[in-house]
Amino acid sequence: MPAVGRPMAATSDELLAYAGPDFFLDSKELQQENPEIKGKPFIFGPNFMAQRIYQLSPLEPANAFTTGNPDEVVMRDAKLLTEERYGSARRVFVVVQDDQAIPAEFQHRMVAQSPGIQVEEIAGADHMAMLSQPEKLVELLTRIANN
């Protein structure tokens, strides 16, 4: 969760500094071969996914998947997330206690940068709570929506 008045990329940069360069295991950034597409493709490796993303999910990830890196200019724009717009929306952060991709301690650091955010927690779920604890997540989201 990026904070109001900070670039979205700041959170990713802080996670990388917090976790260290070896955190992403067998994942890798590729060179972009298409000049029409901004950013570089990032491949999450099968070991990273098994150990950090899906370690508690019932489904074994079949293969690595690629995520595109968003537009660097947008991600580094400190004026994008304004108090008037982004800051005025009610936000709830769900701390996933057993998340190995974004450790709970780091999740709490992100929330601390956004005072007034409602915090809920789910135990026994990995980064993909919708797969590892779908019932708990549905109950929590329903309770949040009803409030």
Side-chain angles (χ1 to χ4, degrees):
M1 171 181 280
V4 171
R6 296 185 69 213
M8 289 187 282
T11 304
S12 301
D13 294 345
E14 290 169 3
L15 176 60
L16 185 57
Y18 172 85
D22 297 329
F23 179 77
F24 290 97
L25 303 171
D26 56 339
S27 302
K28 56 188 162 193
E29 185 176 70
L30 304 177
Q31 291 301 313
Q32 179 55 266
E33 296 178 13
N34 185 342
E36 304 282 321
I37 300 173
K38 296 178 181 178
K40 295 181 180 180
F42 190 81
I43 305 285
F44 290 140
N47 291 333
F48 175 78
M49 291 195 315
Q51 293 177 38
R52 306 254 197 265
I53 304 279
Y54 298 104
Q55 84 275 4
L56 298 175
S57 292
L59 304 173
E60 175 105 10
N63 221 328
F65 70 91
T66 306
T67 181
N69 280 348
D71 184 336
E72 192 71 13
V73 173
V74 171
M75 293 298 289
R76 301 243 172 244
D77 184 353
K79 297 176 185 169
L80 185 66
L81 301 177
T82 65
E83 183 66 43
E84 298 79 34
R85 297 185 64 152
Y86 177 70
S88 66
R90 177 177 176 244
R91 289 172 283 157
V92 178
F93 190 95
V94 178
V95 172
V96 183
Q97 294 174 350
D98 299 304
D99 187 343
Q100 298 297 309
I102 303 176
E105 179 183 338
F106 189 83
Q107 294 175 59
H108 284 288
R109 287 176 55 176
M110 288 189 297
V111 171
Q113 295 174 2
S114 296
I117 301 298
Q118 178 182 339
V119 178
E120 299 290 340
E121 302 210 10
I122 293 182
D126 58 28
H127 186 74
M128 300 303 248
M130 69 286 266
L131 297 177
S132 59
Q133 288 293 336
E135 294 85 9
K136 282 185 183 179
L137 183 61
V138 167
E139 288 173 21
L140 177 59
L141 293 176
T142 301
R143 185 166 43 86
I144 292 168
N146 288 335
N147 289 331

